[in-house]
Amino acid sequence: VAKLGSFLAGHELFLITVSKNYDQNALMEDIRGLWRRISKERRAFTLLVTEAEIRDESFLQVLNTFLTSGDIPGLFPKDEIAVMASEMR
């Protein structure tokens, strides 16, 4: 249903690809990559995370923090945030 909703809304679907060694650092790197694409392409994306991708409780903490505050602390260094903001202008 989420895939259909994403398609109908005109969003590109972003799925994380979990491997045997997928950990919180890999999750953060995937999210960083998504945010970079969003800032450069200025397109709407849907991040879809299923129960199968939740390899560790820390994944839930990262996603919950994002859903409640709209931010993931420490995702980007401050200097990189400034560069990304200037590229969006």
Side-chain angles (χ1 to χ4, degrees):
V1 173
K3 289 180 182 181
L4 176 62
S6 179
F7 173 76
L8 292 174
H11 294 192
E12 185 173 328
L13 189 62
F14 184 83
L15 301 166
I16 60 173
T17 305
V18 178
S19 66
K20 184 178 179 181
N21 298 324
Y22 198 83
D23 59 4
Q24 185 176 356
N25 291 332
L27 173 67
M28 297 293 274
E29 192 57 42
D30 280 346
I31 294 172
R32 273 187 214 98
L34 175 61
W35 266 228
R36 285 184 186 111
R37 284 184 64 195
I38 290 169
S39 69
K40 288 181 182 176
E41 297 177 18
R42 293 183 174 218
R43 294 182 50 202
F45 286 83
T46 299
L47 173 62
L48 180 61
V49 181
T50 66
E51 188 176 338
E53 279 95 26
I54 304 297
R55 305 278 293 192
D56 188 60
E57 188 174 315
S58 64
F59 290 19
L60 291 174
Q61 292 171 344
V62 169
L63 296 171
N64 187 50
T65 300
F66 175 66
L67 291 172
T68 56
S69 70
D71 186 31
I72 300 175
L75 185 63
F76 291 105
K78 291 189 184 280
D79 58 333
E80 192 171 338
I81 292 172
V83 170
M84 288 173 63
S86 67
E87 288 175 354
M88 291 179 66
R89 294 180 190 162

